[in-house]
Amino acid sequence: MFNRLLDWVEKNGNKLPDVLTLFVIITAIILLGSFFAGLTGWSAVNPANNEKISAVNLLNEEGIKRMLIELVSNFVNFPPLGLVLVVMLGVGLAESTGLISAFMRRVVLSSPKKLILPIIIFIGIVGNAAADAALIVLPPVAAMVFLTLGRHPIAGLAAAYAAVAGGFSANIIISMLDVMLAGFTESAAHLQDKTYTANPAMNYYFMLASTFVLLPVAVWVTTKIVEPRLGEYQVPDDLEVKKQALSSEEKRGLKWATLSLLIYTTIILLVTVPKGAMLRHAKTGELIDSPFMDSLVPIMLLFFLIPAMAYGFGAKVLKNDKDVAEHLTKAMSGMGYYIVLAFIAAQMIAYFNWSNLGSIIAITGADFLKESGFTGLPLLLAFILFTAFVNLLIASSSAKWAILGPVFVPMFMALNYSPAFTQMAYRIGDSITNTITPMLAYFAILLTFAKKFDKNMGMGTLISSLLPYSIAYTIFWCILFTIWYVLGLPLGPGEYIKM
């Protein structure tokens, strides 16, 4: 029955238009919605200040002129645009020079046999900071490592993929996704509070705890469910078994990268840890609401950029400034789709803001939820599961949050939940079904990798190896979320559950 459900999701999910087209359709719906809402005089009263908020028709003369005049500024001032492109300079160069691939192989292949699976999963969870590289590099490497250890390669493949894709909202470091989602969250929160400022570390404490919750869960699922179900692996005659050892150039590059990262980390510690340090708050001396928090994006850029350049020159991938420019260009060339997506999303969110539909829906929805009594923890868990279902059809995290954020962030703000808490709930739902959705572009790549080890591998077999991770992540992540909610623990630096 579940396979039939997955067949239905795949069949109907493939019928959905491209995300860009989907955003255009939603933008058209917003404009039509503003037209009818404006004509009918739809409004609501903001409980924060008792002011009446009325729907604005964007298809009249004033609205059309505003859309034309502010089209460029909507795009240029779109928060996620600059943040993501800046961070991607560093991440892209680290991927282009081969640093990320070499680092993963070095850590995984040099680990003790008993620790190999926890190491793979841990590197996968941390590696989602550079999702493209981790999803492409780690699964086949993990499969080959399992094969050389006499274990089923599909189990290694599944464990690595589930760690990166399913553990997408767990990490010990701030990633590009944190930067991206914070930008969308801030834009959505402005529907309710124009002064709200989001920071990429707003969910860091919960993400850190999630890393060490999902790690043993994934290990248990792999050893107790996935591997026994796959059985003993028979190595095909045409499959060459070899260790993917590092070359001498790659080893030298890693040494240079490690040294540069140590120097850079020392510098960051010197300007943040001591009392009166440069990046602390000038008056309070704290790191919260400080130049350090405001500088996280460039700090992240240099965190990847400096080791990437050191590795490149050490491994002789980079030989001069022209090579650096070429690799940076290559790294950014893949961002074209995101730039187009950001352009359309910027207009969509701007129109949603101007129309006041988001605020009215949020206030009306919050009133309904309050009157129905369906609030608190049950509501939040339902939101997580709802997001997980949407993720089966629309895999892009930023695309979903651009659609859901402007509705749910202000709605939960009206219920006194902070935007950071709403984003945290969203990120859980956004992660738990990443492992099994065929809509994630890397799923097709994973299936290709799996066929190298089993020519008869089908989507159903692959999903059946990945599904236990999604179920386990859902259960244990919701338990952690409940504990966090009941205890009222902080979500990140300066961020709490309640506003």
Side-chain angles (χ1 to χ4, degrees):
M1 184 173 63
F2 190 75
N3 282 335
R4 289 199 298 270
L5 173 63
L6 291 175
D7 290 341
W8 179 88
V9 170
E10 181 185 6
K11 178 181 178 181
N12 290 277
N14 288 334
K15 292 180 180 179
L16 286 174
D18 187 85
V19 173
L20 297 177
T21 307
L22 189 63
F23 271 29
V24 171
I25 294 172
I26 294 174
T27 302
I29 292 173
I30 290 172
L31 293 175
L32 290 174
S34 74
F35 173 76
F36 290 109
L39 288 181
T40 58
W42 194 30
S43 63
V45 177
N46 189 340
N49 51 26
N50 292 321
E51 290 184 0
K52 182 179 179 180
I53 300 177
S54 301
V56 176
N57 178 13
L58 298 179
L59 292 181
N60 57 20
E61 182 179 344
E62 289 298 319
I64 293 174
K65 286 194 295 186
R66 186 179 184 184
M67 285 189 284
L68 292 174
I69 294 171
E70 299 189 30
L71 183 141
V72 175
S73 61
N74 289 340
F75 177 53
V76 174
N77 297 324
F78 190 52
L81 177 64
L83 298 178
V84 172
L85 293 181
V86 168
V87 174
M88 193 57 198
L89 280 169
V91 176
L93 186 64
E95 181 179 354
S96 177
T97 57
L99 169 59
I100 294 177
S101 173
F103 172 73
M104 287 183 176
R105 287 156 55 207
R106 178 61 178 268
V107 172
V108 170
L109 294 173
S110 62
S111 302
K113 291 183 178 181
K114 291 184 178 180
L115 295 179
I116 201 72
L117 178 57
I119 291 285
I120 288 173
I121 293 171
F122 182 76
I123 293 299
I125 293 175
V126 175
N128 66 45
D132 290 348
L135 285 167
I136 294 173
V137 173
L138 190 58
V141 170
M144 290 303 299
V145 170
F146 265 50
L147 186 59
T148 58
L149 295 175
R151 302 173 71 172
H152 204 298
I154 301 301
L157 191 85
Y161 185 78
V164 182
F168 215 64
S169 293
N171 215 316
I172 62 172
I173 62 174
I174 304 298
S175 70
M176 186 174 66
L177 181 64
D178 297 286
V179 178
M180 184 185 301
L181 293 183
F184 283 105
T185 300
E186 181 174 318
S187 297
H190 285 173
L191 292 169
Q192 190 81 356
D193 180 2
K194 299 291 185 182
T195 64
Y196 179 81
T197 302
N199 73 77
M202 61 200 307
N203 294 148
Y204 179 69
Y205 298 156
F206 184 81
M207 289 168 50
L208 181 64
S210 298
T211 302
F212 297 100
V213 169
L214 296 185
L215 178 58
V217 170
V219 170
W220 185 86
V221 169
T222 304
T223 56
K224 300 298 182 181
I225 299 177
V226 177
E227 281 195 281
R229 185 176 180 277
L230 288 170
E232 185 178 353
Y233 181 69
Q234 300 296 328
V235 182
D237 296 333
D238 59 347
L239 182 61
E240 183 180 0
V241 181
K242 65 178 180 178
K243 294 185 178 180
Q244 301 181 10
L246 296 173
S247 65
S248 58
E249 289 82 6
E250 288 176 319
K251 291 179 180 178
R252 182 173 59 250
L254 283 178
K255 289 180 181 179
W256 287 27
T258 302
L259 179 60
S260 68
L261 187 59
L262 287 174
I263 295 173
Y264 176 67
T265 303
T266 301
I267 294 173
I268 294 298
L269 292 175
L270 288 175
V271 297
T272 55
V273 174
K275 185 178 180 180
M278 182 177 71
L279 293 184
R280 285 183 173 271
H281 194 284
K283 295 182 179 180
T284 65
E286 296 185 359
L287 285 176
I288 299 175
D289 189 23
S290 67
F292 172 71
M293 298 302 296
D294 295 334
S295 305
L296 276 178
V297 171
I299 288 173
M300 289 173 58
L301 165 65
L302 295 176
F303 180 84
F304 288 100
L305 189 65
I306 292 174
M309 293 186 65
Y311 174 85
F313 283 107
K316 297 184 178 180
V317 176
L318 303 176
K319 297 179 181 178
N320 50 47
D321 60 318
K322 293 182 180 179
D323 289 340
V324 175
E326 182 180 344
H327 277 267
L328 283 172
T329 302
K330 178 183 177 182
M332 297 305 293
S333 64
M335 297 302 292
Y337 185 86
Y338 175 75
I339 294 174
V340 178
L341 175 65
F343 174 78
I344 299 175
Q347 310 308 322
M348 182 193 75
I349 292 177
Y351 300 163
F352 201 57
N353 291 345
W354 299 346
S355 68
N356 287 334
L357 291 177
S359 298
I360 297 173
I361 292 172
I363 295 170
T364 304
D367 290 340
F368 171 77
L369 292 172
K370 288 178 181 178
E371 293 174 2
S372 66
F374 189 60
T375 58
L377 185 60
L379 170 64
L380 295 164
L381 293 176
F383 173 58
I384 291 174
L385 296 178
F386 169 73
T387 303
F389 174 76
V390 174
N391 190 49
L392 288 171
L393 302 177
I394 306 174
S396 171
S397 182
S398 57
K400 285 194 303 294
W401 195 224
I403 296 170
L404 300 178
V407 175
F408 285 99
V409 168
M411 178 183 293
F412 286 128
M413 287 176 73
L415 294 171
N416 202 35
Y417 293 116
S418 70
F421 190 55
T422 306
Q423 178 183 286
M424 190 177 87
Y426 165 78
R427 295 193 65 175
I428 295 174
D430 177 49
S431 295
I432 54 182
T433 50
N434 264 348
T435 307
I436 59 172
T437 175
M439 298 302 108
L440 190 64
Y442 302 101
F443 185 88
I445 298 175
L446 185 73
L447 185 59
T448 302
F449 288 148
K451 285 183 177 293
K452 292 182 178 180
F453 301 97
D454 183 355
K455 295 180 179 179
N456 297 320
M457 175 65 63
M459 184 177 294
T461 304
L462 184 59
I463 289 180
S464 68
S465 296
L466 296 169
L467 180 59
Y469 296 100
S470 286
I471 295 174
Y473 287 175
T474 300
I475 294 171
F476 285 93
W477 230 334
C478 286
I479 291 174
L480 179 64
F481 180 84
T482 301
I483 294 172
W484 221 270
Y485 176 83
V486 172
L487 297 180
L489 299 175
L491 313 175
E495 294 287 353
Y496 300 89
I497 294 174
K498 298 289 185 177
M499 295 183 60

